[in-house]
Amino acid sequence: LPIPVVITAFADKSFTFILKSPPASVLIRKALKLEKGSPKPHTDKVGKLTRKQAEEIAKMKQPDLTAADLDAAVRTIAGSARSMGVEVEGV
C-alpha cells in the first residue's frame, strides 16, 4: 500500500518524518477488490461499499481525518467512495 509521508527538514540538516495512513481511495479499492474507480462516477457504478466496510476504513483513517466522531468519518469515506463511482449502502 502507498503510505503518504510528511518530511520536515531543518537548517541544521536534521529532519523529522510522520507516516500517515493510506489514502481512502486505495483502502476502498482494496476492500472492494477493484483495479480502479469509475471514469464516469455519477453514471457508471463499479461496486458497492457497505456501512461495515466504511466503518473499518474510517477507523483506520481516524487519526488523519478531521471528523469529530466515527459517524462523521464514515460519511467522509462514503463521499470519497461516491466520487469514485462506488455505491454506498447504509450511509
Side-chain angles (χ1 to χ4, degrees):
L1 293 175
I3 298 177
V5 179
V6 177
I7 300 173
T8 307
F10 301 102
D12 64 352
K13 296 186 180 180
S14 64
F15 63 93
T16 62
F17 64 95
I18 301 169
L19 298 174
K20 301 284 188 170
S21 59
S25 60
V26 172
L27 296 173
I28 292 167
R29 286 193 336 241
K30 181 181 173 193
L32 299 177
K33 297 175 179 64
L34 296 174
E35 190 171 323
K36 61 181 185 174
S38 173
K40 297 178 184 176
H42 298 295
T43 56
D44 298 334
K45 302 298 181 186
V46 292
K48 287 187 180 183
L49 186 71
T50 64
R51 169 83 183 195
K52 184 178 178 183
Q53 290 172 318
E55 284 180 7
E56 290 174 9
I57 293 169
K59 286 177 186 173
M60 194 178 297
K61 293 281 301 172
Q62 189 79 31
D64 296 333
L65 294 176
T66 57
D69 59 357
L70 184 62
D71 191 48
V74 169
R75 288 194 307 267
T76 302
I77 298 301
S80 296
R82 281 188 212 101
S83 70
M84 293 173 59
V86 174
E87 289 183 52
V88 183
E89 297 175 345
V91 179

